[in-house]
Amino acid sequence: MSVLVITGTGTEVGKTVATAAIAATAVAAGRSVAVLKAAQTGVGPDEPGDAQEVARLAGPVTIAEVARYPEPLAPATAARRAGLPPVHPREVAEAAAKLAAEHDLVLVEGAGGLLVRFDEEGGTLADAAELLRAPVLVVASAGLGTLNTTELSARELRARHLDFLGVVIGSWPDSPDLASRCNVADLPEVSGAPLLGALPGGAGSLAPADFRAAAPGWLAPRLDGVWDAKVFRERAAD
């Protein structure tokens, strides 16, 4: 796995922090890592974006963006309103392939969910994953409503015959409610893919050194970590 595409079930589900945890864990395992943001929206030309946040938390990683737009909108809409060229899936795939030639692992972070439009032709992150023939990781929320959005993402990935690696919970609350506790067991069931980690709520606010030290404990061995899904599920059920 030289390229991993990371998407979310929507916005604000912890996708960037999850990307940072995966990057930090891979770096700790001795791998060279690049992080590619397919389309950065909602930041100005000189403001730090998601890729910069990943680097701040994860440490020595190469970062790159394919396109950047000032308004916090879907990339196609943000590009149109800014009068800037849209980003196309082939550009994302080409940028990732170039980084993969020089790094052990390239993490391609999308914008929002799997089918958020990049351009007027309806190109999406899923199209970029198809071009790359890369596995896709879905970052999901913990609570009520996550089963529906996760299953929809899973169905789309399978309809496209993409390699659906698994699901990571982007923010696990300190005091999970009933829905969150039940979802630990239900997310693998509805998605048909393993639960590969859970990040604690507020992980992105940790000091970078603390974040890097803790990250392997949030992710399963498939992602270079030591997190145990069975133990986590048993604790959540208590």
Side-chain angles (χ1 to χ4, degrees):
M1 180 177 63
S2 60
V3 178
L4 175 62
V5 175
I6 301 174
T7 189
T9 54
T11 59
E12 305 301 324
V13 296
K15 185 170 70 272
T16 296
V17 180
T19 300
I22 295 166
T25 303
V27 169
R31 305 172 75 185
S32 59
V33 179
V35 177
L36 177 67
K37 182 68 177 181
Q40 177 68 63
T41 64
V43 295
D46 299 319
E47 295 177 322
D50 292 342
Q52 286 82 2
E53 177 64 4
V54 171
R56 184 185 73 82
L57 290 169
V61 299
T62 301
I63 60 173
E65 295 175 353
V66 180
R68 172 179 283 224
Y69 308 108
E71 294 181 314
L73 302 167
T77 305
R80 183 178 69 248
R81 285 179 53 85
L84 294 170
V87 60
H88 300 290
R90 68 175 182 277
E91 295 175 299
V92 177
E94 288 169 357
K98 289 179 180 178
L99 289 168
E102 300 175 350
H103 297 82
D104 297 325
L105 177 65
V106 178
L107 304 176
V108 181
E109 183 187 346
L114 183 66
L115 297 183
V116 169
R117 292 194 169 202
F118 284 170
D119 56 27
E120 296 85 351
E121 290 76 38
T124 66
L125 185 67
D127 296 314
E130 284 188 89
L131 291 169
L132 286 163
R133 298 183 180 178
V136 180
L137 181 75
V138 173
V139 180
S141 59
L144 196 64
T146 194
L147 298 181
N148 179 65
T149 52
T150 302
E151 184 169 359
L152 287 171
S153 298
R155 289 188 180 192
E156 180 65 21
L157 290 169
R158 292 203 167 87
R160 292 171 176 258
H161 304 288
L162 287 167
D163 180 5
F164 180 15
L165 190 69
V167 178
V168 167
I169 296 173
S171 180
W172 182 252
D174 290 335
S175 300
D177 59 13
L178 178 62
S180 297
R181 298 197 305 273
C182 291
N183 287 340
V184 172
D186 291 341
L187 277 168
E189 180 69 23
V190 302
S191 68
L195 191 61
L196 294 179
L199 277 67
S205 65
L206 293 174
D210 294 335
F211 182 93
R212 296 166 199 170
W218 305 331
L219 301 170
R222 185 69 180 85
L223 296 171
D224 292 321
V226 296
W227 181 85
D228 190 316
K230 181 179 179 181
V231 171
F232 183 79
R233 185 169 59 249
E234 291 171 350
R235 289 175 178 171
D238 289 342

Short mmCIF file of all heavy atoms in Angstrom, two decimals, residues 165-231:
data_model
loop_
_atom_site.label_atom_id
_atom_site.label_comp_id
_atom_site.label_asym_id
_atom_site.label_seq_id
_atom_site.Cartn_x
_atom_site.Cartn_y
_atom_site.Cartn_z
N LEU A 165 -10.65 -0.27 2.65
CA LEU A 165 -9.74 -0.77 3.68
C LEU A 165 -10.43 -0.93 5.03
O LEU A 165 -10.22 -1.92 5.74
CB LEU A 165 -8.55 0.17 3.82
CG LEU A 165 -7.39 -0.32 4.67
CD1 LEU A 165 -6.69 -1.48 3.98
CD2 LEU A 165 -6.41 0.81 4.93
N GLY A 166 -11.24 0.03 5.42
CA GLY A 166 -11.90 -0.03 6.71
C GLY A 166 -12.38 1.32 7.16
O GLY A 166 -12.36 2.30 6.41
N VAL A 167 -12.81 1.38 8.43
CA VAL A 167 -13.40 2.58 9.01
C VAL A 167 -12.61 2.98 10.26
O VAL A 167 -12.20 2.12 11.04
CB VAL A 167 -14.87 2.33 9.41
CG1 VAL A 167 -15.49 3.57 10.06
CG2 VAL A 167 -15.69 1.91 8.19
N VAL A 168 -12.40 4.27 10.42
CA VAL A 168 -11.82 4.83 11.64
C VAL A 168 -12.82 5.84 12.22
O VAL A 168 -13.37 6.66 11.49
CB VAL A 168 -10.47 5.52 11.37
CG1 VAL A 168 -10.04 6.38 12.55
CG2 VAL A 168 -9.40 4.49 11.05
N ILE A 169 -13.08 5.75 13.50
CA ILE A 169 -13.91 6.74 14.18
C ILE A 169 -13.04 7.97 14.44
O ILE A 169 -12.02 7.88 15.13
CB ILE A 169 -14.49 6.19 15.49
CG1 ILE A 169 -15.43 5.02 15.20
CG2 ILE A 169 -15.23 7.28 16.25
CD1 ILE A 169 -15.93 4.29 16.44
N GLY A 170 -13.45 9.09 13.90
CA GLY A 170 -12.60 10.28 13.94
C GLY A 170 -12.56 10.99 15.27
O GLY A 170 -11.60 11.72 15.54
N SER A 171 -13.57 10.80 16.11
CA SER A 171 -13.60 11.48 17.41
C SER A 171 -14.48 10.69 18.36
O SER A 171 -15.71 10.74 18.27
CB SER A 171 -14.13 12.92 17.25
OG SER A 171 -14.15 13.59 18.49
N TRP A 172 -13.83 9.95 19.27
CA TRP A 172 -14.57 9.16 20.24
C TRP A 172 -14.75 9.98 21.51
O TRP A 172 -13.79 10.43 22.13
CB TRP A 172 -13.80 7.87 20.55
CG TRP A 172 -14.51 6.97 21.50
CD1 TRP A 172 -14.16 6.74 22.80
CD2 TRP A 172 -15.69 6.21 21.25
NE1 TRP A 172 -15.05 5.86 23.37
CE2 TRP A 172 -16.01 5.52 22.44
CE3 TRP A 172 -16.51 6.04 20.13
CZ2 TRP A 172 -17.11 4.68 22.54
CZ3 TRP A 172 -17.61 5.20 20.24
CH2 TRP A 172 -17.90 4.53 21.42
N PRO A 173 -16.00 10.19 21.94
CA PRO A 173 -16.25 11.08 23.09
C PRO A 173 -15.78 10.49 24.41
O PRO A 173 -15.72 9.26 24.58
CB PRO A 173 -17.78 11.25 23.06
CG PRO A 173 -18.28 10.04 22.34
CD PRO A 173 -17.24 9.68 21.33
N ASP A 174 -15.48 11.36 25.35
CA ASP A 174 -15.09 10.93 26.70
C ASP A 174 -16.20 10.14 27.38
O ASP A 174 -15.95 9.18 28.09
CB ASP A 174 -14.71 12.14 27.56
CG ASP A 174 -13.41 12.78 27.12
OD1 ASP A 174 -12.58 12.08 26.51
OD2 ASP A 174 -13.23 13.98 27.38
N SER A 175 -17.44 10.59 27.15
CA SER A 175 -18.60 9.92 27.74
C SER A 175 -19.56 9.53 26.62
O SER A 175 -20.53 10.25 26.34
CB SER A 175 -19.31 10.85 28.75
OG SER A 175 -18.43 11.21 29.80
N PRO A 176 -19.28 8.42 25.95
CA PRO A 176 -20.10 8.04 24.80
C PRO A 176 -21.54 7.72 25.19
O PRO A 176 -21.79 7.10 26.23
CB PRO A 176 -19.39 6.79 24.26
CG PRO A 176 -18.62 6.26 25.42
CD PRO A 176 -18.20 7.45 26.22
N ASP A 177 -22.48 8.16 24.36
CA ASP A 177 -23.88 7.86 24.61
C ASP A 177 -24.22 6.47 24.09
O ASP A 177 -23.37 5.75 23.56
CB ASP A 177 -24.79 8.93 23.99
CG ASP A 177 -24.62 9.05 22.48
OD1 ASP A 177 -23.98 8.16 21.85
OD2 ASP A 177 -25.11 10.03 21.90
N LEU A 178 -25.47 6.08 24.25
CA LEU A 178 -25.88 4.73 23.86
C LEU A 178 -25.65 4.48 22.38
O LEU A 178 -25.16 3.40 21.99
CB LEU A 178 -27.36 4.53 24.21
CG LEU A 178 -27.96 3.17 23.82
CD1 LEU A 178 -27.25 2.03 24.53
CD2 LEU A 178 -29.47 3.15 24.11
N ALA A 179 -26.00 5.45 21.54
CA ALA A 179 -25.83 5.27 20.11
C ALA A 179 -24.36 5.03 19.75
O ALA A 179 -24.03 4.14 18.96
CB ALA A 179 -26.37 6.48 19.35
N SER A 180 -23.47 5.83 20.33
CA SER A 180 -22.04 5.67 20.05
C SER A 180 -21.55 4.30 20.48
O SER A 180 -20.79 3.64 19.74
CB SER A 180 -21.24 6.76 20.76
OG SER A 180 -21.59 8.05 20.29
N ARG A 181 -21.96 3.85 21.65
CA ARG A 181 -21.50 2.54 22.14
C ARG A 181 -22.00 1.41 21.25
O ARG A 181 -21.27 0.47 20.96
CB ARG A 181 -21.96 2.33 23.59
CG ARG A 181 -21.37 3.35 24.58
CD ARG A 181 -21.50 2.88 26.01
NE ARG A 181 -22.87 2.55 26.38
CZ ARG A 181 -23.76 3.42 26.84
NH1 ARG A 181 -23.42 4.71 26.97
NH2 ARG A 181 -24.97 3.04 27.18
N CYS A 182 -23.24 1.52 20.80
CA CYS A 182 -23.79 0.49 19.90
C CYS A 182 -23.12 0.54 18.53
O CYS A 182 -22.92 -0.50 17.88
CB CYS A 182 -25.30 0.68 19.74
SG CYS A 182 -26.26 0.31 21.23
N ASN A 183 -22.75 1.73 18.10
CA ASN A 183 -22.17 1.88 16.76
C ASN A 183 -20.81 1.20 16.63
O ASN A 183 -20.38 0.87 15.52
CB ASN A 183 -22.05 3.36 16.40
CG ASN A 183 -23.40 3.99 16.08
OD1 ASN A 183 -24.36 3.29 15.79
ND2 ASN A 183 -23.47 5.31 16.17
N VAL A 184 -20.12 1.01 17.73
CA VAL A 184 -18.83 0.32 17.66
C VAL A 184 -19.00 -1.07 17.07
O VAL A 184 -18.19 -1.53 16.26
CB VAL A 184 -18.19 0.24 19.07
CG1 VAL A 184 -16.95 -0.65 19.05
CG2 VAL A 184 -17.83 1.63 19.57
N ALA A 185 -20.08 -1.75 17.45
CA ALA A 185 -20.37 -3.07 16.89
C ALA A 185 -21.05 -2.98 15.54
O ALA A 185 -20.83 -3.81 14.66
CB ALA A 185 -21.22 -3.88 17.86
N ASP A 186 -21.88 -1.95 15.36
CA ASP A 186 -22.69 -1.86 14.14
C ASP A 186 -21.94 -1.32 12.93
O ASP A 186 -22.28 -1.66 11.79
CB ASP A 186 -23.92 -0.99 14.40
CG ASP A 186 -24.91 -1.66 15.35
OD1 ASP A 186 -24.83 -2.89 15.51
OD2 ASP A 186 -25.74 -0.95 15.94
N LEU A 187 -20.93 -0.47 13.14
CA LEU A 187 -20.22 0.10 11.99
C LEU A 187 -19.57 -0.97 11.11
O LEU A 187 -19.74 -0.92 9.88
CB LEU A 187 -19.17 1.11 12.47
CG LEU A 187 -19.70 2.52 12.76
CD1 LEU A 187 -18.64 3.34 13.50
CD2 LEU A 187 -20.11 3.23 11.46
N PRO A 188 -18.86 -1.96 11.66
CA PRO A 188 -18.33 -3.00 10.79
C PRO A 188 -19.43 -3.80 10.10
O PRO A 188 -19.26 -4.26 8.96
CB PRO A 188 -17.51 -3.88 11.74
CG PRO A 188 -17.22 -3.01 12.91
CD PRO A 188 -18.40 -2.10 13.04
N GLU A 189 -20.56 -3.97 10.79
CA GLU A 189 -21.66 -4.74 10.22
C GLU A 189 -22.25 -4.04 9.00
O GLU A 189 -22.43 -4.66 7.94
CB GLU A 189 -22.74 -4.95 11.28
CG GLU A 189 -23.94 -5.74 10.82
CD GLU A 189 -23.63 -7.20 10.56
OE1 GLU A 189 -22.64 -7.71 11.12
OE2 GLU A 189 -24.37 -7.82 9.78
N VAL A 190 -22.54 -2.75 9.12
CA VAL A 190 -23.20 -2.05 8.00
C VAL A 190 -22.23 -1.74 6.88
O VAL A 190 -22.62 -1.63 5.71
CB VAL A 190 -23.90 -0.76 8.47
CG1 VAL A 190 -24.93 -1.07 9.55
CG2 VAL A 190 -22.92 0.29 8.95
N SER A 191 -20.96 -1.58 7.21
CA SER A 191 -19.98 -1.22 6.18
C SER A 191 -19.38 -2.43 5.50
O SER A 191 -18.86 -2.34 4.39
CB SER A 191 -18.85 -0.37 6.79
OG SER A 191 -18.07 -1.15 7.69
N GLY A 192 -19.40 -3.58 6.19
CA GLY A 192 -18.75 -4.76 5.65
C GLY A 192 -17.25 -4.65 5.64
O GLY A 192 -16.56 -5.34 4.88
N ALA A 193 -16.71 -3.79 6.50
CA ALA A 193 -15.27 -3.57 6.57
C ALA A 193 -14.88 -3.42 8.04
O ALA A 193 -15.70 -3.05 8.88
CB ALA A 193 -14.87 -2.32 5.80
N PRO A 194 -13.63 -3.70 8.37
CA PRO A 194 -13.23 -3.67 9.78
C PRO A 194 -13.13 -2.26 10.34
O PRO A 194 -12.88 -1.30 9.61
CB PRO A 194 -11.86 -4.34 9.77
CG PRO A 194 -11.34 -4.10 8.39
CD PRO A 194 -12.53 -4.15 7.49
N LEU A 195 -13.35 -2.17 11.65
CA LEU A 195 -13.06 -0.93 12.37
C LEU A 195 -11.57 -0.93 12.67
O LEU A 195 -11.05 -1.84 13.31
CB LEU A 195 -13.88 -0.88 13.65
CG LEU A 195 -13.90 0.45 14.41
CD1 LEU A 195 -14.51 1.55 13.56
CD2 LEU A 195 -14.68 0.30 15.72
N LEU A 196 -10.87 0.09 12.17
CA LEU A 196 -9.41 0.12 12.23
C LEU A 196 -8.86 1.17 13.19
O LEU A 196 -7.66 1.43 13.19
CB LEU A 196 -8.83 0.35 10.84
CG LEU A 196 -9.08 -0.77 9.83
CD1 LEU A 196 -8.47 -0.40 8.48
CD2 LEU A 196 -8.49 -2.09 10.32
N GLY A 197 -9.73 1.75 14.01
CA GLY A 197 -9.22 2.70 14.97
C GLY A 197 -10.28 3.64 15.48
O GLY A 197 -11.40 3.70 14.94
N ALA A 198 -9.93 4.35 16.54
CA ALA A 198 -10.81 5.37 17.12
C ALA A 198 -9.94 6.41 17.79
O ALA A 198 -9.16 6.08 18.68
CB ALA A 198 -11.78 4.75 18.11
N LEU A 199 -10.08 7.65 17.35
CA LEU A 199 -9.30 8.74 17.94
C LEU A 199 -10.11 9.38 19.06
O LEU A 199 -11.32 9.60 18.91
CB LEU A 199 -8.97 9.79 16.89
CG LEU A 199 -7.76 9.53 16.00
CD1 LEU A 199 -7.99 8.34 15.07
CD2 LEU A 199 -7.41 10.77 15.19
N PRO A 200 -9.48 9.68 20.18
CA PRO A 200 -10.21 10.33 21.26
C PRO A 200 -10.61 11.75 20.87
O PRO A 200 -9.90 12.44 20.13
CB PRO A 200 -9.20 10.34 22.41
CG PRO A 200 -7.86 10.29 21.74
CD PRO A 200 -8.05 9.47 20.51
N GLY A 201 -11.75 12.18 21.36
CA GLY A 201 -12.16 13.55 21.12
C GLY A 201 -11.11 14.53 21.61
O GLY A 201 -10.54 14.33 22.68
N GLY A 202 -10.84 15.56 20.82
CA GLY A 202 -9.84 16.55 21.21
C GLY A 202 -8.42 16.16 20.93
O GLY A 202 -7.49 16.85 21.36
N ALA A 203 -8.20 15.05 20.20
CA ALA A 203 -6.83 14.60 19.93
C ALA A 203 -6.02 15.67 19.21
O ALA A 203 -4.82 15.82 19.44
CB ALA A 203 -6.85 13.31 19.10
N GLY A 204 -6.68 16.43 18.34
CA GLY A 204 -5.97 17.45 17.57
C GLY A 204 -5.47 18.60 18.41
O GLY A 204 -4.64 19.40 17.95
N SER A 205 -5.96 18.73 19.64
CA SER A 205 -5.50 19.82 20.52
C SER A 205 -4.31 19.42 21.38
O SER A 205 -3.78 20.25 22.12
CB SER A 205 -6.66 20.29 21.41
OG SER A 205 -7.06 19.25 22.29
N LEU A 206 -3.88 18.17 21.28
CA LEU A 206 -2.70 17.74 22.03
C LEU A 206 -1.44 18.42 21.52
O LEU A 206 -1.36 18.82 20.35
CB LEU A 206 -2.52 16.22 21.91
CG LEU A 206 -3.57 15.32 22.56
CD1 LEU A 206 -3.30 13.87 22.19
CD2 LEU A 206 -3.58 15.51 24.07
N ALA A 207 -0.46 18.54 22.37
CA ALA A 207 0.85 19.01 21.90
C ALA A 207 1.38 18.00 20.90
O ALA A 207 1.15 16.79 21.05
CB ALA A 207 1.80 19.13 23.09
N PRO A 208 2.07 18.46 19.85
CA PRO A 208 2.52 17.52 18.82
C PRO A 208 3.29 16.32 19.35
O PRO A 208 3.06 15.19 18.89
CB PRO A 208 3.39 18.41 17.92
CG PRO A 208 2.78 19.76 18.04
CD PRO A 208 2.34 19.86 19.47
N ALA A 209 4.16 16.52 20.32
CA ALA A 209 4.93 15.39 20.85
C ALA A 209 4.01 14.37 21.51
O ALA A 209 4.21 13.14 21.36
CB ALA A 209 5.98 15.88 21.84
N ASP A 210 3.00 14.85 22.23
CA ASP A 210 2.05 13.94 22.87
C ASP A 210 1.18 13.24 21.83
O ASP A 210 0.86 12.05 21.97
CB ASP A 210 1.17 14.71 23.86
CG ASP A 210 1.96 15.27 25.04
OD1 ASP A 210 3.02 14.69 25.36
OD2 ASP A 210 1.52 16.28 25.61
N PHE A 211 0.80 13.97 20.81
CA PHE A 211 0.00 13.38 19.73
C PHE A 211 0.76 12.24 19.07
O PHE A 211 0.22 11.15 18.87
CB PHE A 211 -0.33 14.46 18.70
CG PHE A 211 -1.20 13.99 17.56
CD1 PHE A 211 -2.57 14.13 17.62
CD2 PHE A 211 -0.64 13.44 16.41
CE1 PHE A 211 -3.38 13.70 16.57
CE2 PHE A 211 -1.43 13.01 15.37
CZ PHE A 211 -2.81 13.14 15.44
N ARG A 212 2.01 12.46 18.74
CA ARG A 212 2.81 11.44 18.05
C ARG A 212 3.03 10.22 18.93
O ARG A 212 3.01 9.08 18.45
CB ARG A 212 4.15 12.04 17.63
CG ARG A 212 4.00 13.15 16.60
CD ARG A 212 5.29 13.95 16.45
NE ARG A 212 5.00 15.24 15.84
CZ ARG A 212 5.86 16.24 15.75
NH1 ARG A 212 7.10 16.10 16.24
NH2 ARG A 212 5.52 17.38 15.18
N ALA A 213 3.22 10.44 20.21
CA ALA A 213 3.44 9.32 21.12
C ALA A 213 2.18 8.47 21.28
O ALA A 213 2.26 7.24 21.42
CB ALA A 213 3.89 9.84 22.49
N ALA A 214 1.02 9.13 21.24
CA ALA A 214 -0.24 8.42 21.48
C ALA A 214 -0.84 7.81 20.22
O ALA A 214 -1.61 6.85 20.31
CB ALA A 214 -1.26 9.38 22.11
N ALA A 215 -0.51 8.33 19.05
CA ALA A 215 -1.18 7.95 17.81
C ALA A 215 -1.21 6.44 17.54
O ALA A 215 -2.25 5.91 17.14
CB ALA A 215 -0.56 8.69 16.62
N PRO A 216 -0.12 5.70 17.74
CA PRO A 216 -0.19 4.25 17.47
C PRO A 216 -1.25 3.53 18.30
O PRO A 216 -1.78 2.50 17.87
CB PRO A 216 1.22 3.76 17.81
CG PRO A 216 2.09 4.96 17.60
CD PRO A 216 1.26 6.11 18.08
N GLY A 217 -1.57 4.05 19.46
CA GLY A 217 -2.58 3.43 20.31
C GLY A 217 -3.99 3.68 19.85
O GLY A 217 -4.94 3.09 20.41
N TRP A 218 -4.16 4.53 18.85
CA TRP A 218 -5.49 4.82 18.31
C TRP A 218 -5.80 4.03 17.04
O TRP A 218 -6.93 4.09 16.55
CB TRP A 218 -5.61 6.31 17.99
CG TRP A 218 -5.32 7.23 19.12
CD1 TRP A 218 -5.50 6.98 20.45
CD2 TRP A 218 -4.79 8.56 19.03
NE1 TRP A 218 -5.12 8.08 21.19
CE2 TRP A 218 -4.67 9.07 20.34
CE3 TRP A 218 -4.41 9.38 17.96
CZ2 TRP A 218 -4.19 10.35 20.62
CZ3 TRP A 218 -3.93 10.65 18.23
CH2 TRP A 218 -3.82 11.12 19.55
N LEU A 219 -4.80 3.36 16.48
CA LEU A 219 -4.94 2.73 15.17
C LEU A 219 -4.57 1.26 15.22
O LEU A 219 -3.67 0.85 15.95
CB LEU A 219 -4.04 3.45 14.14
CG LEU A 219 -4.31 4.94 13.94
CD1 LEU A 219 -3.21 5.56 13.11
CD2 LEU A 219 -5.67 5.17 13.29
N ALA A 220 -5.26 0.48 14.40
CA ALA A 220 -5.04 -0.96 14.34
C ALA A 220 -3.72 -1.30 13.65
O ALA A 220 -3.15 -0.46 12.95
CB ALA A 220 -6.20 -1.62 13.59
N PRO A 221 -3.23 -2.53 13.82
CA PRO A 221 -1.98 -2.94 13.18
C PRO A 221 -1.99 -2.76 11.66
O PRO A 221 -0.93 -2.50 11.07
CB PRO A 221 -1.87 -4.41 13.56
CG PRO A 221 -2.54 -4.50 14.88
CD PRO A 221 -3.70 -3.56 14.79
N ARG A 222 -3.14 -2.85 11.03
CA ARG A 222 -3.22 -2.64 9.57
C ARG A 222 -2.74 -1.24 9.19
O ARG A 222 -2.29 -1.00 8.07
CB ARG A 222 -4.66 -2.84 9.08
CG ARG A 222 -4.85 -2.78 7.58
CD ARG A 222 -4.20 -3.96 6.91
NE ARG A 222 -4.36 -3.92 5.46
CZ ARG A 222 -3.57 -3.26 4.63
NH1 ARG A 222 -2.55 -2.56 5.10
NH2 ARG A 222 -3.77 -3.28 3.33
N LEU A 223 -2.82 -0.30 10.16
CA LEU A 223 -2.36 1.07 9.96
C LEU A 223 -1.11 1.36 10.79
O LEU A 223 -0.83 2.50 11.13
CB LEU A 223 -3.48 2.05 10.32
CG LEU A 223 -4.73 1.98 9.44
CD1 LEU A 223 -5.85 2.84 10.01
CD2 LEU A 223 -4.43 2.40 8.00
N ASP A 224 -0.36 0.32 11.08
CA ASP A 224 0.92 0.41 11.81
C ASP A 224 0.76 0.66 13.29
O ASP A 224 1.75 0.92 13.99
CB ASP A 224 1.85 1.49 11.21
CG ASP A 224 2.34 1.13 9.82
OD1 ASP A 224 2.64 -0.05 9.60
OD2 ASP A 224 2.42 2.04 8.98
N GLY A 225 -0.47 0.61 13.81
CA GLY A 225 -0.67 0.88 15.22
C GLY A 225 -0.80 -0.38 16.06
O GLY A 225 -0.52 -1.50 15.60
N VAL A 226 -1.25 -0.20 17.30
CA VAL A 226 -1.38 -1.32 18.24
C VAL A 226 -2.79 -1.38 18.85
O VAL A 226 -3.03 -2.14 19.78
CB VAL A 226 -0.34 -1.20 19.37
CG1 VAL A 226 1.07 -1.31 18.82
CG2 VAL A 226 -0.50 0.12 20.15
N TRP A 227 -3.72 -0.60 18.32
CA TRP A 227 -5.10 -0.55 18.83
C TRP A 227 -5.78 -1.88 18.61
O TRP A 227 -5.65 -2.50 17.54
CB TRP A 227 -5.83 0.57 18.10
CG TRP A 227 -7.25 0.81 18.48
CD1 TRP A 227 -7.71 1.57 19.51
CD2 TRP A 227 -8.42 0.35 17.77
NE1 TRP A 227 -9.08 1.61 19.51
CE2 TRP A 227 -9.53 0.87 18.45
CE3 TRP A 227 -8.61 -0.45 16.64
CZ2 TRP A 227 -10.83 0.61 18.03
CZ3 TRP A 227 -9.90 -0.71 16.22
CH2 TRP A 227 -11.00 -0.19 16.92
N ASP A 228 -6.53 -2.34 19.60
CA ASP A 228 -7.21 -3.62 19.55
C ASP A 228 -8.72 -3.40 19.46
O ASP A 228 -9.34 -2.93 20.42
CB ASP A 228 -6.86 -4.44 20.80
CG ASP A 228 -7.34 -5.88 20.73
OD1 ASP A 228 -8.48 -6.12 20.29
OD2 ASP A 228 -6.56 -6.77 21.11
N ALA A 229 -9.31 -3.72 18.33
CA ALA A 229 -10.74 -3.49 18.12
C ALA A 229 -11.59 -4.28 19.11
O ALA A 229 -12.61 -3.79 19.60
CB ALA A 229 -11.12 -3.84 16.69
N LYS A 230 -11.19 -5.50 19.42
CA LYS A 230 -11.98 -6.33 20.32
C LYS A 230 -12.01 -5.73 21.72
O LYS A 230 -13.09 -5.65 22.35
CB LYS A 230 -11.39 -7.74 20.37
CG LYS A 230 -12.17 -8.69 21.28
CD LYS A 230 -11.56 -10.08 21.28
CE LYS A 230 -12.32 -11.02 22.20
NZ LYS A 230 -11.71 -12.38 22.23
N VAL A 231 -10.88 -5.30 22.20
CA VAL A 231 -10.82 -4.68 23.54
C VAL A 231 -11.64 -3.40 23.56
O VAL A 231 -12.39 -3.14 24.51
CB VAL A 231 -9.35 -4.40 23.93
CG1 VAL A 231 -9.30 -3.57 25.21
CG2 VAL A 231 -8.60 -5.71 24.12
#
